[in-house]
DNA sequence: TCTGGGGTCCTAGGACCC
DNA sequence: TCTGGGGTCCTAGGACCC
């Protein structure tokens, strides 16, 4: 059996930990640049807000219902996520971190000595006690069914945070009541296709013959079908190295000037290089893309991207930033109001396997690597971007995303730790 | 005025090889 | 008269996830 542990409205729950008084109140957290709603509490849903709503359109609803709005604060959420994961790892032998707010716990070996649901309820209580984050748990023979279970646990109090699907009757009952669109692995396209064949519930889908599914759908949908029938086949093992690393942002204000655009691309390139070194990798290609504002039909639209190859695989910020600048020059067009840009590193490999290149354009590579290590160490000690390239521009540049409702770095900045008066 | 960011996997088709 | 079979690798785009 496998358990999925899912944090309820995770980003909102984290904000609520540090803002006592929001309990039971509508809260939502915005995407970068204060754009759309990405997380919201049930109370916020109840007043008519949805995930994905652009916040500027919901201003009336927000004001009328006294909804508390937060800008995104990923450092805070990541720090809290690590705490939750640590508690899980201390409770269950084999834990796989699947996303910032979800983990799979493999319960092999726990069946004999524990009542599984009871055991996991203990874990839920521990997480609540130590972090104040509410979680929901689904337990089932496959991950897809565990996900179904966790949704039931979240939506019905009677389960007391843990829903176990451990018999065929329970499985069929759950799949009959569950929304097909909410099944893990069924996206919009697959849902529409299933509907065209008259399949409208997960149970109807699971009850189809294997050949029926095989002849109409590709492998991923077949796997979902197997999982719904209790046959585990989806592998979510944590990948040691990312195959591509991307940093992209929408701009706070639209950018027309090449130099301003260049500083944004330099900033993104440097972030990518930093992430790359973080996983001890090197990259061989740098892709830069730029986009105008697709919502402004009154302005000329333009979007383009290009990839440059690096002569030697590298994780050097200076080299990567220069390559990105070169790429940008070839796609920049004057007279466009740019809204977004991004940098993607590709052809990633392990830094330790890197062969020395006789014709390396950087003769003092070992020293350059030491320089990067030094920069990383300083930035780790004194905060991100404390030491950075001049090319990355001012922190006040117009392209920096808006973030008008951001809470503090309560878990990572000594000056911002909350003071509690008793 | 205003609309997110970062990934993975799969597949079809083309290019190329012997 | 009339043009094979089997394979790999790469890439772009689609679909999905959080």
């Amino acid at each position: 059996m496998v358990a999925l542990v899912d944090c309820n409205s995770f980003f909102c729950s984290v904000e609520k930990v540090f803002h006592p008084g929001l309990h039971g109140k509508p809260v939502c957290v915005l995407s970068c640049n204060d754009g759309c709603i990405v997380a919201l509490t049930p109370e916020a849903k109840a007043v008519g807000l949805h995930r994905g709503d652009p916040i500027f359109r919901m201003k009336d609803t927000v004001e009328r219902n006294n909804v508390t709005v937060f800008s995104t604060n990923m450092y805070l959420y990541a720090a809290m996520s690590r705490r939750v994961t640590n508690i899980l790892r201390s409770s269950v032998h084999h834990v796989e971190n699947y996303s910032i707010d979800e983990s799979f716990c493999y319960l092999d070996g726990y069946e004999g000595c524990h009542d599984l649901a009871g055991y996991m309820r203990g874990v839920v209580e521990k997480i609540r006690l130590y972090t104040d984050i509410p979680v929901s748990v689904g337990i089932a023979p496959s991950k897809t069914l565990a996900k179904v279970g966790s949704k039931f646990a979240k939506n019905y109090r009677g389960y007391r945070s843990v829903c176990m699907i451990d018999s065929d009757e329970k499985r069929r009952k759950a799949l009959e009541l569950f929304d097909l669109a909410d099944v893990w692995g069924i996206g919009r396209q697959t849902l529409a296709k299933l509907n065209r064949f008259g399949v409208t519930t997960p149970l109807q889908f699971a009850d189809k013959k294997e050949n029926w599914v095989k002849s109409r759908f590709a492998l991923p949908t077949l796997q979902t079908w197997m999982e719904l029938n209790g046959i585990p086949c989806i592998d979510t093992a944590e990948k040691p190295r990312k195959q591509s690393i991307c940093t992209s942002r929408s701009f706070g204000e639209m950018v027309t000037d090449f130099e301003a655009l260049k500083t944004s691309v330099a900033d993104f390139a440097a972030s990518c290089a930093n992430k790359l070194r973080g996983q001890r990798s090197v990259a061989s290609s740098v892709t830069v893309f730029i986009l105008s504002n697709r919502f402004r039909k009154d302005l000329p639209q333009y979007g383009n991207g290009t990839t440059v190859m690096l002569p030697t695989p590298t994780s050097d910020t200076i080299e990567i930033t220069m390559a990105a600048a070169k790429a940008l020059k070839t796609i920049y067009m004057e007279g466009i109001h740019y809204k977004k840009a991004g940098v993607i590193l590709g052809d990633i490999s392990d830094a330790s396997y890197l062969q020395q290149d006789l014709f390396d354009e950087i003769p003092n590579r070992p020293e350059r690597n030491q320089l990067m290590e030094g920069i990383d160490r300083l930035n780790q000690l004194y905060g991100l971007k404390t030491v950075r390239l001049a090319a990355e521009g001012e922190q006040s540049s117009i392209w920096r995303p808006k973030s008008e409702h951001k809470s503090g770095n309560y878990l990572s900045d000594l000056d911002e730790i909350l003071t509690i008066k008793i």
Side-chain angles (χ1 to χ4, degrees):
Chain A
M1 298 289 268
V2 62
L4 175 73
V5 179
D6 190 319
C7 301
N8 303 345
S9 317
F10 182 56
F11 295 173
C12 295
S13 296
V14 176
E15 297 291 356
K16 282 161 80 171
V17 170
F18 301 99
H19 297 87
L22 292 179
H23 186 73
K25 301 265 173 64
V27 173
C28 61
V29 174
L30 305 181
S31 62
C32 181
N33 211 18
D34 289 349
C36 300
I37 297 174
V38 292
L40 64 172
T41 59
E43 295 82 5
K45 279 179 193 158
V47 302
L49 298 177
H50 307 90
R51 198 186 136 85
D53 286 343
I55 196 67
F56 75 90
R57 277 203 198 142
M58 309 309 289
K59 232 172 191 158
D60 284 351
T61 311
V62 166
E63 276 165 22
R64 211 171 37 242
N65 298 284
N66 234 333
V67 179
T68 307
V69 174
F70 290 98
S71 299
T72 191
N73 188 348
M74 286 308 286
Y75 282 106
L76 185 65
Y77 310 150
M80 190 61 102
S81 173
R82 280 193 293 274
R83 293 182 177 211
V84 172
T85 306
N86 285 343
I87 295 167
L88 282 177
R89 290 198 198 281
S90 73
S91 310
V92 178
H93 181 63
H94 182 183
V95 177
E96 235 169 52
N97 216 196
Y98 176 66
S99 73
I100 194 161
D101 72 330
E102 283 171 283
S103 291
F104 288 107
C105 303
Y106 294 87
L107 299 176
D108 320 71
Y110 287 77
E111 296 93 340
C113 40
H114 296 290
D115 148 35
L116 285 183
Y119 184 72
M120 289 311 292
R121 276 195 193 96
V123 175
V124 170
E125 277 163 30
K126 195 169 170 186
I127 292 171
R128 189 79 200 221
L129 180 66
Y130 289 2
T131 68
D132 206 24
I133 298 294
V135 302
S136 303
V137 180
I139 307 173
S142 71
K143 288 174 186 150
T144 306
L145 286 174
K147 281 238 183 197
V148 170
S150 77
K151 295 272 173 65
F152 279 101
K154 183 187 286 189
N155 294 330
Y156 299 97
R157 291 184 65 90
Y159 289 109
R160 291 183 294 129
S161 303
V162 179
C163 170
M164 181 150 79
I165 301 174
D166 59 345
S167 72
D168 204 50
E169 292 90 310
K170 286 186 195 169
R171 182 185 70 87
R172 296 187 65 83
K173 184 82 184 164
L175 293 187
E176 201 182 345
L177 297 173
F178 202 68
D179 192 344
L180 187 56
D182 291 338
V183 172
W184 191 39
I186 308 275
R188 265 214 303 273
Q189 301 298 321
T190 310
L191 177 70
K193 191 168 168 186
L194 282 168
N195 285 164
R196 267 182 266 130
F197 288 118
V199 174
T200 56
T201 71
L203 185 62
Q204 286 171 359
F205 178 46
D207 280 347
K208 287 289 178 189
K209 292 269 180 292
E210 183 169 355
N211 278 334
W212 186 90
V213 183
K214 264 189 181 163
S215 60
R216 290 167 178 80
F217 295 90
L219 186 60
T221 306
L222 178 65
Q223 287 183 322
T224 299
W225 175 83
M226 290 173 77
E227 289 246 330
L228 288 176
N229 281 298
I231 305 157
C233 58
I234 292 179
D235 179 19
T236 53
E238 285 155 57
K239 305 289 178 289
R241 256 197 347 239
K242 278 177 188 147
Q243 297 167 36
S244 69
I245 288 175
C246 173
T247 302
S248 72
R249 293 283 177 276
S250 290
F251 300 143
E253 281 177 46
M254 288 199 279
V255 172
T256 51
D257 175 40
F258 177 76
E259 287 305 316
L261 198 58
K262 201 169 115 182
T263 62
S264 79
V265 166
D267 186 285
F268 304 155
S271 295
C272 283
N274 182 260
K275 295 178 196 171
L276 190 64
R277 291 194 295 274
Q279 63 167 35
R280 307 211 158 279
S281 296
V282 287
S284 301
S285 74
V286 181
T287 301
V288 174
F289 65 88
I290 48 178
L291 294 167
S292 56
N293 189 342
R294 65 196 164 103
F295 296 103
R296 290 291 295 270
K297 303 298 179 204
D298 55 323
L299 293 173
Q301 295 289 312
Y302 174 70
N304 204 351
T306 190
T307 302
V308 295
M309 300 306 293
L310 295 157
T312 308
T314 183
S315 61
D316 186 287
T317 299
I318 301 170
E319 253 186 304
I320 289 172
T321 304
M322 284 172 72
K326 203 171 92 184
L328 175 66
K329 208 171 264 178
T330 67
I331 52 173
Y332 173 77
M333 213 162 79
E334 246 173 271
I336 300 294
H337 292 72
Y338 293 98
K339 182 62 181 173
K340 182 175 181 172
V343 174
I344 307 167
L345 302 183
D347 293 293
I348 289 173
S349 53
D350 195 324
S352 58
Y353 295 146
L354 184 60
Q355 281 207 340
Q356 277 233 321
D357 182 355
L358 261 183
F359 306 103
D360 198 336
E361 289 172 12
I362 297 179
N364 57 339
R365 182 147 324 257
E367 286 84 353
R368 282 281 283 269
N369 287 342
Q370 280 176 15
L371 173 63
M372 292 304 134
E373 274 176 38
I375 292 175
D376 289 342
R377 209 169 305 144
L378 284 171
N379 287 340
Q380 207 183 350
L381 273 173
Y382 299 106
L384 220 64
K385 305 261 180 195
T386 301
V387 179
R388 60 181 195 277
L389 300 188
E392 294 175 45
E394 298 298 319
Q395 290 306 303
S396 58
S397 302
I398 59 160
W399 58 265
R400 302 265 174 208
K402 275 178 286 189
S403 183
E404 288 168 2
H405 314 281
K406 194 164 169 181
S407 51
N409 294 315
Y410 311 114
L411 293 177
S412 55
D413 190 334
L414 270 181
D415 296 332
E416 297 191 46
I417 289 179
L418 292 186
T419 307
I420 298 172
K421 289 182 185 152
I422 300 176

